[in-house]
Amino acid sequence: MPAEDGCHVLHVEVDAPAAQVALMRRPELAGLPVLVDDGGRVRDASAPARAFGVRAGDDLAAALARCPHAVVVAADPAAEDAVRAGLLAVLEDVTALVEPVGDAGAYVDVGGARRRLGPPTAIAWGVRERLREQHGVTCSVGIGATKVVARLAGRAAGPDGVLLVPHAATARFLGDQPVAALAEVDGPLEAALAAAGIRRLGELADASAVLLRGLDRPATVHWLRDLARGRDARPVVPRPRSAADPVVRVDVPCAAARGQRDVLDELLREAAHACGRALGVRRQAGRTVALTVRTADGAEHTRSRALTTPSDRGRELHLVARDLLAGLTWVAVPESLTVAVGRLQDVPAGVRGPVAGERTDAVPPLAGPVAVPAGTVAGTDGLPWRVSPGTVARVAQRSTSTIVTADIS
């Protein structure tokens, strides 16, 4: 749809997560004002309680004074963590470009997922439905051309709502918002702007450079003026991988290829098959494939894709990595390639390793100088895992024809 063109950033936030978790445990409280107690302070409040002016972080006694008929329940941090993890899992099935933010929210860049999943509004509705079905919670989704627009659209959407701000309507949407709607505006800065006659984002967007230079923290105010105009160059930054979220990675020196694409593709094939063997040893498959090319001028070029089905097959990983390589351009000669497979999960029980003397469809052994970083399983025994004949009927067989990838670079 033309109205959605350029609007590739989603801000997804679970509405009052602690209160929703409490209502899942005690559904008989639905529709009542509920306060979630966190050591004498309000951890969260249901919508009926918020109607009395109660907010997260309030003193519990003061909140009960404003809403005396509220029901107080204990917090359940473990259940809240499960909801947050569920939110990220749902979003990372859409794309790998997911940036967690706040208590239970995230930015999502769906620019590369549109061909596979449709326009951003369709993706937003799909995310809402999956969260409701799988985790029993609702969320608000804002859609815009930049992070700041998406965040404010999500807040304007209200609980369980979806709001798209077309690129052409950005100025009109932001203009009437108070300057405090920007999380980057603190109390002293809001007071300074108000003293200068600036109370709305539209007024900040139209403010002259001379006026802004006269304010405290002029560099910050100039940046806020860009945000008020909907200009936000900050990209969606995926969460860093931790030790609990391992990645199988293979580095291949490639300076001798001197940038020749056919030679690089052959090295890429070897690295992808090495990743497949390493995954086989671990009895795991991955949901994301990333390719990094480091060039002689010190630059790093990275692209990645999310797979709709996990894979541990070297051929399938190579096809994805080859397509990523085709989309990269560089100035200096590439010196190394890195293929990384992430979001690992265990393979089905029907997958086993070959026994001694048994013929397999093993990939050719890795040739050439491939360096594997410390702590990375390289699959040095060269034995892949495969579906045994006796279990083929019970295990869904993977095929390259069923892999649909989304360019999330």
Side-chain angles (χ1 to χ4, degrees), residues 37-73:
D37 180 21
D38 185 15
R41 305 199 73 81
V42 177
R43 186 180 185 92
D44 216 338
S46 65
R50 292 197 299 272
F52 285 84
V54 179
R55 295 292 181 267
D58 289 351
D59 179 77
L60 183 60
L64 286 171
R66 289 195 295 271
C67 187
H69 56 293
V71 179
V72 179
V73 298

Side-chain angles (χ1 to χ4, degrees), residues 1-396:
M1 297 175 60
E4 301 188 41
D5 290 346
C7 297
H8 57 93
V9 180
L10 274 58
H11 180 268
V12 184
E13 186 169 23
V14 176
D15 308 312
Q20 289 203 63
V21 166
L23 292 175
M24 283 192 291
R25 293 203 320 261
R26 299 183 58 183
E28 72 276 9
L29 299 180
L32 300 178
V34 175
L35 303 180
V36 181
D37 180 21
D38 185 15
R41 305 199 73 81
V42 177
R43 186 180 185 92
D44 216 338
S46 65
R50 292 197 299 272
F52 285 84
V54 179
R55 295 292 181 267
D58 289 351
D59 179 77
L60 183 60
L64 286 171
R66 289 195 295 271
C67 187
H69 56 293
V71 179
V72 179
V73 298
D76 188 348
E80 294 170 32
D81 289 342
V83 168
R84 295 188 192 97
L87 169 67
L88 296 179
V90 168
L91 297 177
E92 288 178 343
D93 277 342
V94 173
T95 173
L97 285 180
V98 177
E99 178 183 343
V101 62
D103 193 34
Y107 290 107
V108 190
D109 189 334
V110 299
R114 295 188 59 169
R115 183 172 58 182
R116 176 167 57 97
L117 299 176
T121 50
I123 295 174
W125 284 100
V127 166
R128 289 174 67 255
E129 292 306 312
R130 284 193 60 189
L131 275 175
R132 189 192 305 275
E133 293 172 2
Q134 298 178 13
H135 303 284
V137 296
T138 62
C139 68
S140 58
V141 185
I143 309 171
T146 60
K147 292 171 77 171
V148 65
V149 176
R151 182 180 66 200
L152 295 181
R155 293 181 179 177
D160 202 21
V162 174
L163 178 63
L164 164 74
V165 178
H167 188 58
T170 296
R172 186 167 67 253
F173 169 73
L174 295 177
D176 290 334
Q177 303 268 357
V179 293
L182 295 179
E184 297 80 3
V185 176
D186 56 23
L189 190 53
E190 181 183 4
L193 290 170
I198 300 174
R199 293 178 173 82
R200 300 283 174 183
L201 292 184
E203 296 168 341
L204 178 57
D206 295 336
S208 67
V210 174
L211 174 62
L212 298 183
R213 278 198 297 269
L215 298 175
D216 187 29
R217 293 181 283 174
T220 299
V221 176
H222 277 82
W223 173 56
L224 293 176
R225 182 178 65 174
D226 284 341
L227 296 183
R229 294 172 175 175
R231 300 172 183 170
D232 189 355
R234 294 172 296 181
V236 174
V237 181
R239 58 176 175 162
R241 300 297 179 183
S242 65
D245 192 10
V247 174
V248 168
R249 180 176 60 249
V250 173
D251 294 323
V252 183
C254 63
R258 303 190 62 81
Q260 298 181 50
R261 294 272 178 172
D262 56 341
V263 180
L264 292 175
D265 180 61
E266 180 60 23
L267 294 173
L268 199 62
R269 183 191 68 80
E270 296 170 353
H273 282 297
C275 284
R277 290 195 296 272
L279 290 167
V281 170
R282 301 170 68 120
R283 298 194 181 198
Q284 289 183 318
R287 293 293 299 267
T288 61
V289 179
L291 171 66
T292 299
V293 177
R294 298 174 184 84
T295 53
D297 57 359
E300 285 192 2
H301 308 268
T302 300
R303 299 187 74 182
S304 59
R305 289 192 178 179
L307 310 181
T308 57
T309 56
S311 178
D312 60 356
R313 306 297 180 87
R315 172 176 164 75
E316 295 175 345
L317 300 176
H318 174 223
L319 290 176
V320 177
R322 171 195 282 175
D323 201 32
L324 295 175
L325 180 66
L328 287 177
T329 58
W330 49 78
V331 177
V333 173
E335 292 190 332
S336 70
L337 302 172
T338 299
V339 177
V341 183
R343 292 189 61 198
L344 306 183
Q345 61 187 63
D346 294 338
V347 297
V351 177
R352 67 169 178 83
V355 298
E358 185 179 39
R359 290 184 60 84
T360 71
D361 295 324
V363 295
L366 187 62
V370 177
V372 180
T376 300
V377 179
T380 54
D381 58 4
L383 296 178
W385 295 94
R386 66 179 182 85
V387 178
S388 62
T391 59
V392 168
R394 298 193 297 273
V395 179

